[in-house]
Amino acid sequence: MATFDTPCVVALGVVKNKVFYLEVESGKKAEEYIGVEIDSAEPGISGEFITGHLAIASFSTTIVKGVALAKPVYVLDLEGLKPLAKRAVTLRHVKAREFGAWEPVWNKPLYLTDASPSVAVGVSRAGSLLHINAVPSDIELAKKIWATAKVLQRGGELNLNCTCRLGLMPYEIFVRRGNRYIVAKFYLNASSPRSKKAFFIMGEGGNVLQRKEVDVAEAEITAFEFINLL
């Protein structure tokens, strides 16, 4: 995980099994090994343009926004797995804080490819610090999470959240009906055996009424089972 002081704009990209970070205005750099090879897009500055897979901007106390640069990036949120806004970003844009066309990405996983293996990037804030976490991941898992969310959405109000600062990058689907709720949890980091499992809890108030651990392949069926109990 890489950490930067805010306000900041960070370009990142994957080259030869590593993710590289560049804080555009200060020049601060960081890197980490992720063990996944995808089409390279090294972060940097070419003339006036920012290069890399992805740029992240964080300012104020609650704003984290992102935009795809050289190649498509995909975000998993309440609209499903969809392309992130893609823009040519210049140093002038950064200095003028022109981020209106960028998308909110706080605690939303960002996939650097639409095929497996992929790299999932998660961005979060803690006080004045911006944390960016990158892990090897599986795009088919992202699709399974969204399919499970669509099933659980039948039960009531749906919320999705990725705890991006944690190494396993847990992703939770939460649905509530009255006093009862269902939580389905997945782990996006493909280097962990936990990424092969889905975890379901049904509760009421502070009490857990039922819990179940299943293979990811069974997540949709289990979601139907839990909806029938809600």
Side-chain angles (χ1 to χ4, degrees):
M1 183 171 68
T3 299
F4 300 87
D5 293 320
T6 60
C8 66
V9 176
V10 179
L12 67 91
V14 175
V15 181
K16 294 183 179 179
N17 297 311
K18 290 184 177 181
V19 58
F20 294 85
Y21 305 89
L22 171 66
E23 203 285 295
V24 173
E25 292 180 285
S26 73
K28 176 183 175 181
K29 296 181 179 180
E31 64 181 73
E32 58 182 323
Y33 179 79
I34 51 170
V36 173
E37 281 205 38
I38 61 176
D39 286 344
S40 295
E42 186 173 359
I45 300 172
S46 179
E48 275 292 305
F49 291 93
I50 312 302
T51 63
H53 278 104
L54 173 69
I56 301 293
S58 186
F59 49 100
S60 184
T61 57
T62 59
I63 297 175
V64 181
K65 303 185 81 173
V67 68
L69 295 173
K71 302 177 186 297
V73 173
Y74 303 86
V75 58
L76 179 60
D77 62 15
L78 286 169
E79 297 179 17
L81 185 65
K82 63 183 182 69
L84 186 70
K86 189 172 183 287
R87 297 284 187 276
V89 179
T90 67
L91 288 172
R92 181 182 61 79
H93 293 143
V94 171
K95 291 176 181 177
R97 300 293 187 257
E98 295 178 0
F99 306 129
W102 298 29
E103 293 188 31
V105 295
W106 188 330
N107 282 346
K108 297 180 181 181
L110 306 167
Y111 289 85
L112 301 188
T113 70
D114 63 350
S116 296
S118 188
V119 176
V121 176
V123 190
S124 61
R125 279 282 298 265
S128 63
L129 299 177
L130 173 70
H131 300 302
I132 307 178
N133 193 17
V135 300
S137 197
D138 186 340
I139 204 73
E140 296 305 318
L141 175 58
K143 293 175 180 178
K144 178 62 73 172
I145 291 171
W146 177 239
T148 304
K150 287 195 292 184
V151 173
L152 292 176
Q153 193 171 28
R154 304 177 187 188
E157 182 182 354
L158 183 71
N159 287 284
L160 306 176
N161 185 67
C162 179
T163 309
C164 294
R165 68 183 181 277
L166 299 182
L168 292 178
M169 211 175 281
Y171 193 95
E172 288 188 351
I173 305 168
F174 181 88
V175 62
R176 178 186 297 277
R177 180 188 292 170
N179 292 326
R180 288 197 171 189
Y181 60 88
I182 297 171
V183 178
K185 180 177 284 191
F186 299 80
Y187 294 91
L188 304 186
N189 190 334
S191 66
S192 169
R194 289 193 184 185
S195 67
K196 306 298 182 185
K197 299 289 185 178
F199 304 83
F200 288 80
I201 292 175
M202 185 175 70
E204 183 171 10
N207 300 314
V208 174
L209 303 180
Q210 187 162 339
R211 67 175 76 229
K212 191 172 185 179
E213 175 183 333
V214 299
D215 292 335
V216 165
E218 301 172 10
E220 288 172 82
I221 294 173
T222 306
F224 275 113
E225 294 174 2
F226 272 63
I227 283 294
N228 290 332
L229 298 172
L230 194 61

